[in-house]
Amino acid sequence: MKKSLLSLAVVTMFASSANAAEVYALDGVTVDVSGDVEINYFKSQDKALDPELQVAEGNFGFNLNYEMTEDFSVGGVVDFDANNETDDVTRGDVYLSLNFTNVHTVTFGVQPTILDDAGIGDDFEFGFTSYVDNLDSSGDQVIKYKYDGGEVFYAGIAFSDHKNEDNFTPGDYELDGNIGARLDEVELTLYLVNAEINGEDERAYVLEGRYVLGDINFAATYATSKAENTGEPDTDIDMFGLTASYSRGDRFTYAAGWANIDNSDNSDRINDLYVNVAFDLSDQVQAYAELGFTDEDNTDTGYVVGMSASF
């Protein structure tokens, strides 16, 4: 029997809370803890770099929720991340949330923007190189609104201000949003971005489509962006990508993806390809292996083997 994207979306809404451990619940107040650890042996596609054992992810966080009324709750999230480059534990997301009738959610603080939700690949390390991947879609001063009742339509908008932040100039900001629809086995999402970063005007849109056919999930994306900087040539990026994943109901999942990228900074179009297999040792523990191919100059085939655990 086919699973519709609508039913999958409803499951996803509660996935984060289901993967967390509840440590306190009394009088409408709940406290959850969650964490992720991922270690892998990674060979970059950069020929100059040797394979290395690395911390791909390491974080720990608290999620607090206060049920004010039947239709209104206030929450807070505090995360800490293990920084693989500096060997330090750094502050992750820190934000407050207001939830109305489990449909409207407003969050403000240190967090990702709406654009962070974009992406169709089931990759681990060798996803598509595009504007979406290169842009740091998070900030210290983010206000975000999401509308999603688990029904057909959903939407969101976020504003990231960079006042008084290092490495930014006065007036820097990012404004992005999305609108999407779930129609049985089909889901369509459009993302729009407008930003000004260090004197560079950036605009982009990303269109994504997903289709469920039995045990196979297909997805496609088209992304285009333009960066304009006074006195310098514009940078245009166009990307088209396809992905597919297959799981027959056992613990194995197989995935592959291909993208063609046209970057005005390069004379040739670039093709990226990844294939991987993942094995679920349990609901929270996964092992995986992946190969990453590209025809970009001065690159090599990349590979990664790793394991992740979460709660």
Side-chain angles (χ1 to χ4, degrees):
M1 180 179 178
K2 293 182 180 179
K3 293 182 179 179
S4 69
L5 285 172
L6 178 57
S7 63
L8 289 174
V10 174
V11 172
T12 303
M13 288 177 59
F14 299 97
S16 59
S17 59
N19 290 334
E22 186 177 86
V23 296
Y24 179 85
L26 182 66
D27 297 331
V29 179
T30 59
V31 179
D32 298 334
V33 295
S34 61
D36 294 281
V37 177
E38 182 179 345
I39 307 295
N40 60 37
Y41 187 69
F42 174 67
K43 172 59 179 77
S44 169
Q45 293 172 324
D46 188 339
K47 288 184 175 181
L49 298 179
D50 294 325
E52 63 175 328
L53 188 68
Q54 67 171 10
V55 177
E57 185 171 15
N59 62 63
F60 179 79
F62 299 90
N63 188 340
L64 298 83
N65 189 69
Y66 302 87
E67 187 175 322
M68 310 298 288
T69 68
E70 184 177 344
D71 296 324
F72 175 59
S73 63
V74 177
V77 169
V78 180
D79 281 338
F80 302 95
D81 296 323
N83 193 311
N84 192 41
E85 296 181 358
T86 63
D87 297 328
D88 294 328
V89 175
T90 59
R91 180 203 66 189
D93 295 343
V94 182
Y95 61 87
L96 287 172
S97 65
L98 307 176
N99 184 276
F100 304 88
T101 66
N102 291 322
V103 175
H104 308 275
T105 304
V106 179
T107 54
F108 44 95
V110 182
Q111 60 180 318
T113 65
I114 294 291
L115 185 64
D116 189 67
D117 295 334
I120 62 169
D122 294 315
D123 61 279
F124 294 96
E125 290 287 352
F126 300 105
F128 308 143
T129 303
S130 70
Y131 175 87
V132 175
D133 297 312
N134 293 334
L135 185 68
D136 183 13
S137 53
S138 62
D140 292 350
Q141 305 175 61
V142 176
I143 301 175
K144 180 166 59 177
Y145 165 75
K146 283 188 173 183
Y147 165 82
D148 192 350
E151 298 180 349
V152 176
F153 295 103
Y154 57 92
I157 188 170
F159 179 75
S160 178
D161 202 351
H162 296 293
K163 286 187 175 70
N164 305 317
E165 293 183 16
D166 295 336
N167 303 318
F168 291 96
T169 57
D172 282 1
Y173 72 92
E174 179 180 331
L175 177 67
D176 59 42
N178 71 352
I179 184 169
R182 307 181 185 101
L183 307 168
D184 295 325
E185 284 78 21
V186 177
E187 180 177 356
L188 299 172
T189 312
L190 174 65
Y191 294 86
L192 300 172
V193 184
N194 187 60
E196 183 172 334
I197 305 296
N198 293 320
E200 185 175 82
D201 293 325
E202 301 176 351
R203 297 184 300 277
Y205 72 82
V206 181
L207 179 62
E208 298 178 350
R210 294 174 174 81
Y211 176 67
V212 178
L213 180 63
D215 296 327
I216 306 176
N217 293 294
F218 296 100
T221 184
Y222 174 72
T224 182
S225 67
K226 177 182 286 290
E228 300 176 349
N229 201 333
T230 303
E232 297 183 8
D234 296 347
T235 300
D236 298 319
I237 302 176
D238 292 300
M239 184 196 74
F240 176 74
L242 297 171
T243 65
S245 62
Y246 169 72
S247 178
R248 60 185 179 184
D250 57 13
R251 294 183 180 273
F252 283 97
T253 300
Y254 308 90
W258 164 83
N260 182 267
I261 302 105
D262 182 14
N263 189 328
S264 61
D265 290 340
N266 299 324
S267 58
D268 298 323
R269 299 181 72 95
I270 297 171
N271 290 283
D272 285 342
L273 173 69
Y274 71 84
V275 292
N276 64 46
V277 59
F279 179 73
D280 295 329
L281 286 80
S282 72
D283 291 340
Q284 285 79 35
V285 181
Q286 185 181 67
Y288 61 86
E290 182 174 77
L291 292 173
F293 309 92
T294 180
D295 58 7
E296 188 174 4
D297 293 338
N298 300 316
T299 59
D300 207 348
T301 298
Y303 60 84
V304 63
V305 178
M307 180 178 290
S308 64
S310 62
F311 66 91

PDB file of all heavy atoms in Angstrom, residues 2 20-21 34 48 57 71 87 91 98 112 124 163 183 203 220 235 245 287:
ATOM      1  N   LYS A   2       0.557   2.211  -0.834  1.00  0.00           N
ATOM      2  CA  LYS A   2       1.361   3.425  -0.927  1.00  0.00           C
ATOM      3  C   LYS A   2       1.122   4.314   0.288  1.00  0.00           C
ATOM      4  O   LYS A   2       0.010   4.439   0.781  1.00  0.00           O
ATOM      5  CB  LYS A   2       0.990   4.218  -2.187  1.00  0.00           C
ATOM      6  CG  LYS A   2       1.359   3.504  -3.484  1.00  0.00           C
ATOM      7  CD  LYS A   2       1.006   4.386  -4.659  1.00  0.00           C
ATOM      8  CE  LYS A   2       1.364   3.725  -5.977  1.00  0.00           C
ATOM      9  NZ  LYS A   2       0.995   4.566  -7.117  1.00  0.00           N
ATOM     10  N   ALA A  20      13.547  12.463  20.990  1.00  0.00           N
ATOM     11  CA  ALA A  20      14.099  13.056  22.196  1.00  0.00           C
ATOM     12  C   ALA A  20      13.664  12.247  23.415  1.00  0.00           C
ATOM     13  O   ALA A  20      12.701  11.498  23.374  1.00  0.00           O
ATOM     14  CB  ALA A  20      13.640  14.507  22.320  1.00  0.00           C
ATOM     15  N   ALA A  21      14.419  12.411  24.509  1.00  0.00           N
ATOM     16  CA  ALA A  21      14.107  11.730  25.762  1.00  0.00           C
ATOM     17  C   ALA A  21      13.453  12.726  26.709  1.00  0.00           C
ATOM     18  O   ALA A  21      14.046  13.764  27.034  1.00  0.00           O
ATOM     19  CB  ALA A  21      15.371  11.148  26.372  1.00  0.00           C
ATOM     20  N   SER A  34      17.993  15.880  23.834  1.00  0.00           N
ATOM     21  CA  SER A  34      18.270  15.178  22.586  1.00  0.00           C
ATOM     22  C   SER A  34      19.737  15.336  22.248  1.00  0.00           C
ATOM     23  O   SER A  34      20.414  16.263  22.730  1.00  0.00           O
ATOM     24  CB  SER A  34      17.403  15.724  21.447  1.00  0.00           C
ATOM     25  OG  SER A  34      17.682  17.103  21.224  1.00  0.00           O
ATOM     26  N   ALA A  48      44.306  17.330  -2.755  1.00  0.00           N
ATOM     27  CA  ALA A  48      45.369  17.706  -1.835  1.00  0.00           C
ATOM     28  C   ALA A  48      45.145  17.205  -0.414  1.00  0.00           C
ATOM     29  O   ALA A  48      46.055  17.258   0.415  1.00  0.00           O
ATOM     30  CB  ALA A  48      45.524  19.225  -1.818  1.00  0.00           C
ATOM     31  N   GLU A  57      29.328  15.183  13.216  1.00  0.00           N
ATOM     32  CA  GLU A  57      28.300  15.875  13.982  1.00  0.00           C
ATOM     33  C   GLU A  57      28.406  15.453  15.437  1.00  0.00           C
ATOM     34  O   GLU A  57      28.670  14.296  15.748  1.00  0.00           O
ATOM     35  CB  GLU A  57      26.901  15.558  13.454  1.00  0.00           C
ATOM     36  CG  GLU A  57      25.796  16.342  14.130  1.00  0.00           C
ATOM     37  CD  GLU A  57      24.446  16.173  13.449  1.00  0.00           C
ATOM     38  OE1 GLU A  57      24.319  15.240  12.649  1.00  0.00           O
ATOM     39  OE2 GLU A  57      23.537  16.966  13.742  1.00  0.00           O
ATOM     40  N   ASP A  71      -4.582  25.857  23.415  1.00  0.00           N
ATOM     41  CA  ASP A  71      -4.220  26.231  22.048  1.00  0.00           C
ATOM     42  C   ASP A  71      -2.959  27.083  21.959  1.00  0.00           C
ATOM     43  O   ASP A  71      -2.634  27.597  20.890  1.00  0.00           O
ATOM     44  CB  ASP A  71      -5.377  26.994  21.388  1.00  0.00           C
ATOM     45  CG  ASP A  71      -6.614  26.139  21.222  1.00  0.00           C
ATOM     46  OD1 ASP A  71      -6.466  24.931  20.959  1.00  0.00           O
ATOM     47  OD2 ASP A  71      -7.727  26.680  21.376  1.00  0.00           O
ATOM     48  N   ASP A  87      38.021  22.140  17.832  1.00  0.00           N
ATOM     49  CA  ASP A  87      38.053  21.217  18.969  1.00  0.00           C
ATOM     50  C   ASP A  87      37.387  21.816  20.206  1.00  0.00           C
ATOM     51  O   ASP A  87      37.716  21.446  21.340  1.00  0.00           O
ATOM     52  CB  ASP A  87      39.495  20.803  19.309  1.00  0.00           C
ATOM     53  CG  ASP A  87      40.151  20.043  18.171  1.00  0.00           C
ATOM     54  OD1 ASP A  87      39.436  19.332  17.452  1.00  0.00           O
ATOM     55  OD2 ASP A  87      41.376  20.162  18.009  1.00  0.00           O
ATOM     56  N   ARG A  91      28.208  27.244  21.153  1.00  0.00           N
ATOM     57  CA  ARG A  91      26.769  27.440  21.222  1.00  0.00           C
ATOM     58  C   ARG A  91      26.135  27.118  19.886  1.00  0.00           C
ATOM     59  O   ARG A  91      26.614  27.517  18.835  1.00  0.00           O
ATOM     60  CB  ARG A  91      26.486  28.898  21.578  1.00  0.00           C
ATOM     61  CG  ARG A  91      25.005  29.239  21.681  1.00  0.00           C
ATOM     62  CD  ARG A  91      24.797  30.721  21.478  1.00  0.00           C
ATOM     63  NE  ARG A  91      25.150  31.116  20.124  1.00  0.00           N
ATOM     64  CZ  ARG A  91      25.227  32.392  19.717  1.00  0.00           C
ATOM     65  NH1 ARG A  91      24.991  33.367  20.555  1.00  0.00           N
ATOM     66  NH2 ARG A  91      25.554  32.675  18.463  1.00  0.00           N
ATOM     67  N   LEU A  98       6.766  30.386  19.958  1.00  0.00           N
ATOM     68  CA  LEU A  98       5.356  30.554  20.308  1.00  0.00           C
ATOM     69  C   LEU A  98       4.555  29.702  19.344  1.00  0.00           C
ATOM     70  O   LEU A  98       4.670  29.851  18.127  1.00  0.00           O
ATOM     71  CB  LEU A  98       4.931  32.022  20.192  1.00  0.00           C
ATOM     72  CG  LEU A  98       5.785  33.050  20.939  1.00  0.00           C
ATOM     73  CD1 LEU A  98       5.279  34.459  20.641  1.00  0.00           C
ATOM     74  CD2 LEU A  98       5.765  32.790  22.438  1.00  0.00           C
ATOM     75  N   PRO A 112      18.372  28.536  12.294  1.00  0.00           N
ATOM     76  CA  PRO A 112      18.397  28.573  10.833  1.00  0.00           C
ATOM     77  C   PRO A 112      17.213  29.361  10.286  1.00  0.00           C
ATOM     78  O   PRO A 112      16.191  29.542  10.958  1.00  0.00           O
ATOM     79  CB  PRO A 112      18.292  27.090  10.428  1.00  0.00           C
ATOM     80  CG  PRO A 112      18.559  26.315  11.672  1.00  0.00           C
ATOM     81  CD  PRO A 112      18.121  27.175  12.810  1.00  0.00           C
ATOM     82  N   PHE A 124      25.179  11.981   2.542  1.00  0.00           N
ATOM     83  CA  PHE A 124      25.830  12.158   3.837  1.00  0.00           C
ATOM     84  C   PHE A 124      26.933  13.215   3.768  1.00  0.00           C
ATOM     85  O   PHE A 124      27.049  14.046   4.649  1.00  0.00           O
ATOM     86  CB  PHE A 124      26.406  10.822   4.320  1.00  0.00           C
ATOM     87  CG  PHE A 124      25.345   9.804   4.630  1.00  0.00           C
ATOM     88  CD1 PHE A 124      24.978   8.856   3.684  1.00  0.00           C
ATOM     89  CD2 PHE A 124      24.700   9.801   5.856  1.00  0.00           C
ATOM     90  CE1 PHE A 124      23.993   7.922   3.960  1.00  0.00           C
ATOM     91  CE2 PHE A 124      23.710   8.872   6.143  1.00  0.00           C
ATOM     92  CZ  PHE A 124      23.352   7.931   5.200  1.00  0.00           C
ATOM     93  N   LYS A 163      22.982  43.090  12.312  1.00  0.00           N
ATOM     94  CA  LYS A 163      23.460  44.300  12.965  1.00  0.00           C
ATOM     95  C   LYS A 163      24.499  43.963  14.037  1.00  0.00           C
ATOM     96  O   LYS A 163      24.332  43.038  14.827  1.00  0.00           O
ATOM     97  CB  LYS A 163      22.290  45.047  13.611  1.00  0.00           C
ATOM     98  CG  LYS A 163      21.375  45.770  12.639  1.00  0.00           C
ATOM     99  CD  LYS A 163      20.357  46.615  13.402  1.00  0.00           C
ATOM    100  CE  LYS A 163      19.491  47.451  12.463  1.00  0.00           C
ATOM    101  NZ  LYS A 163      18.572  46.610  11.688  1.00  0.00           N
ATOM    102  N   LEU A 183       0.157  16.786  -2.217  1.00  0.00           N
ATOM    103  CA  LEU A 183      -0.973  16.284  -2.997  1.00  0.00           C
ATOM    104  C   LEU A 183      -0.803  14.777  -3.170  1.00  0.00           C
ATOM    105  O   LEU A 183      -0.191  14.314  -4.132  1.00  0.00           O
ATOM    106  CB  LEU A 183      -1.050  16.987  -4.357  1.00  0.00           C
ATOM    107  CG  LEU A 183      -1.060  18.520  -4.314  1.00  0.00           C
ATOM    108  CD1 LEU A 183      -0.846  19.098  -5.700  1.00  0.00           C
ATOM    109  CD2 LEU A 183      -2.373  19.017  -3.725  1.00  0.00           C
ATOM    110  N   ARG A 203      20.027  37.133  -4.890  1.00  0.00           N
ATOM    111  CA  ARG A 203      18.637  36.716  -5.092  1.00  0.00           C
ATOM    112  C   ARG A 203      18.642  35.288  -5.618  1.00  0.00           C
ATOM    113  O   ARG A 203      19.508  34.919  -6.420  1.00  0.00           O
ATOM    114  CB  ARG A 203      17.921  37.636  -6.083  1.00  0.00           C
ATOM    115  CG  ARG A 203      17.801  39.069  -5.617  1.00  0.00           C
ATOM    116  CD  ARG A 203      16.991  39.898  -6.602  1.00  0.00           C
ATOM    117  NE  ARG A 203      17.598  39.918  -7.926  1.00  0.00           N
ATOM    118  CZ  ARG A 203      18.574  40.735  -8.284  1.00  0.00           C
ATOM    119  NH1 ARG A 203      19.086  41.587  -7.406  1.00  0.00           N
ATOM    120  NH2 ARG A 203      19.064  40.698  -9.512  1.00  0.00           N
ATOM    121  N   ALA A 220      13.237  15.985  -7.495  1.00  0.00           N
ATOM    122  CA  ALA A 220      13.924  16.814  -8.487  1.00  0.00           C
ATOM    123  C   ALA A 220      13.971  18.245  -7.968  1.00  0.00           C
ATOM    124  O   ALA A 220      13.091  18.680  -7.213  1.00  0.00           O
ATOM    125  CB  ALA A 220      13.212  16.761  -9.837  1.00  0.00           C
ATOM    126  N   THR A 235      27.765  36.944 -10.453  1.00  0.00           N
ATOM    127  CA  THR A 235      27.924  35.496 -10.360  1.00  0.00           C
ATOM    128  C   THR A 235      26.557  34.845 -10.469  1.00  0.00           C
ATOM    129  O   THR A 235      25.677  35.086  -9.633  1.00  0.00           O
ATOM    130  CB  THR A 235      28.580  35.087  -9.029  1.00  0.00           C
ATOM    131  OG1 THR A 235      29.874  35.680  -8.929  1.00  0.00           O
ATOM    132  CG2 THR A 235      28.712  33.570  -8.938  1.00  0.00           C
ATOM    133  N   SER A 245      15.680   7.264  -3.781  1.00  0.00           N
ATOM    134  CA  SER A 245      16.056   6.371  -2.685  1.00  0.00           C
ATOM    135  C   SER A 245      15.085   5.209  -2.644  1.00  0.00           C
ATOM    136  O   SER A 245      13.907   5.355  -3.008  1.00  0.00           O
ATOM    137  CB  SER A 245      16.056   7.112  -1.342  1.00  0.00           C
ATOM    138  OG  SER A 245      14.761   7.595  -1.025  1.00  0.00           O
ATOM    139  N   ALA A 287      24.535   2.926  10.230  1.00  0.00           N
ATOM    140  CA  ALA A 287      25.838   2.861   9.581  1.00  0.00           C
ATOM    141  C   ALA A 287      25.649   3.129   8.095  1.00  0.00           C
ATOM    142  O   ALA A 287      24.596   2.808   7.537  1.00  0.00           O
ATOM    143  CB  ALA A 287      26.487   1.498   9.802  1.00  0.00           C
TER     144      ALA A 287
END
